Amino acid sequence: MIKQKFVVGLTGGIASGKTTVANLFAEFGIELVDADVIAREVVDKGSAGLAAIVKHFGNEILLADGQLDRAALRNQVFDNEAQRLWLNNLLHPMIRQKMLDQVNASTSKYVIMVVPLLFENHLDSLVTTTLVVDISPELQISRTMQRDDVSRQQVEHILASQMSRQQRLDKAEHIIDNQGDINLLRSQVTQLHQLFLQQAAELTTKPND
């Protein structure tokens, strides 16, 4: 459990600018707990996560240096619901626990938890409030194609697998519009930072139930 911490769950679709927004909050001294970073750590060489994956899929899932071969793992779970479910059941509890540990160890006034699939994986239950970084689907497609050097079809496939833009916005308590320039983005972050500081102060002064 998270003890008396004000936690902002930051999410958004692919290429929406979650990392950029998170880093702007970090400039104010706010600590970040990044689910993607943690997801890589729990399958690092020597980890219990990697050992379990190797036991299940075999050594062909490893690179020559003993690290996880992510492409090989993707091939194993792509279009294989049973294998994907097994992998999620292994990794999600590990990732969740490590996120909670990092939040509880944080010392900033509030914490930003960056989770791409915050709502899809029901991790919004762990946070105090939710913040969605929003851009249009067309902008998502063009940014992802440029960033990852992938086809439009591949990006559309990813978008189809994620929660729809409208569903995400309906669940959001706060929304940042990232379709303008960096100055507009910084202005929105600054306003929200002041609000979160105020709300975090109110939370910590409340008596425990």
Side-chain angles (χ1 to χ4, degrees):
M1 280 297 295
I2 294 171
K3 309 291 187 187
Q4 283 296 97
K5 295 273 187 179
F6 191 89
V7 184
V8 179
L10 172 62
T11 193
I14 187 170
S16 58
K18 295 180 292 294
T19 301
T20 304
V21 170
N23 288 339
L24 288 173
F25 278 105
E27 287 179 11
F28 289 111
I30 301 305
E31 292 180 46
L32 308 178
V33 174
D34 191 320
D36 278 350
V37 172
I38 291 171
R40 289 191 291 272
E41 290 174 352
V42 298
V43 293
D44 269 348
K45 189 174 179 179
S47 67
L50 183 58
I53 289 170
V54 171
K55 185 177 179 182
H56 184 79
F57 290 107
N59 284 328
E60 60 268 24
I61 216 78
L62 293 175
L63 296 168
D65 64 357
Q67 298 279 1
L68 176 65
D69 185 339
R70 295 176 187 281
L73 182 60
R74 275 196 299 272
N75 289 337
Q76 289 280 359
V77 301
F78 189 73
D79 285 342
N80 188 324
E81 184 65 22
Q83 296 286 37
R84 192 171 63 82
L85 195 60
W86 180 89
L87 188 65
N88 286 343
N89 287 340
L90 169 73
L91 297 180
H92 285 181
M94 292 181 176
I95 294 166
R96 179 190 176 108
Q97 188 56 53
K98 199 158 186 177
M99 285 196 300
L100 291 175
D101 291 345
Q102 287 189 12
V103 167
N104 284 324
S106 67
T107 56
S108 57
K109 298 288 187 184
Y110 64 91
V111 185
I112 298 281
M113 187 185 282
V114 189
V115 189
L117 300 177
L118 181 76
F119 298 125
E120 291 90 333
N121 290 337
H122 309 294
L123 292 171
D124 51 317
S125 63
L126 301 179
V127 304
T128 319
T129 190
T130 56
L131 170 59
V132 165
V133 184
D134 180 55
I135 62 172
S136 70
E138 193 52 47
L139 200 50
Q140 281 183 285
I141 291 168
S142 62
R143 284 182 181 178
T144 307
M145 287 173 64
Q146 186 176 17
R147 183 189 71 184
D148 298 342
D149 193 24
V150 292
S151 69
R152 184 183 185 91
Q153 187 179 7
Q154 284 175 288
V155 184
E156 287 175 344
H157 180 74
I158 294 168
L159 285 176
S161 71
Q162 293 187 344
M163 180 175 282
S164 76
R165 180 190 190 187
Q166 194 55 55
Q167 285 175 312
R168 199 179 289 113
L169 292 175
D170 287 345
K171 285 179 170 289
E173 291 176 67
H174 304 281
I175 298 167
I176 279 184
D177 182 351
N178 191 20
Q179 297 178 112
D181 63 18
I182 188 68
N183 292 323
L184 180 62
L185 192 62
R186 191 180 295 277
S187 171
Q188 293 176 83
V189 168
T190 301
Q191 287 180 3
L192 282 170
H193 172 62
Q194 296 303 327
L195 176 64
F196 294 152
L197 281 178
Q198 180 185 339
Q199 293 179 336
E202 291 168 359
L203 176 70
T204 54
T205 55
K206 279 183 185 176
N208 286 324
D209 292 333

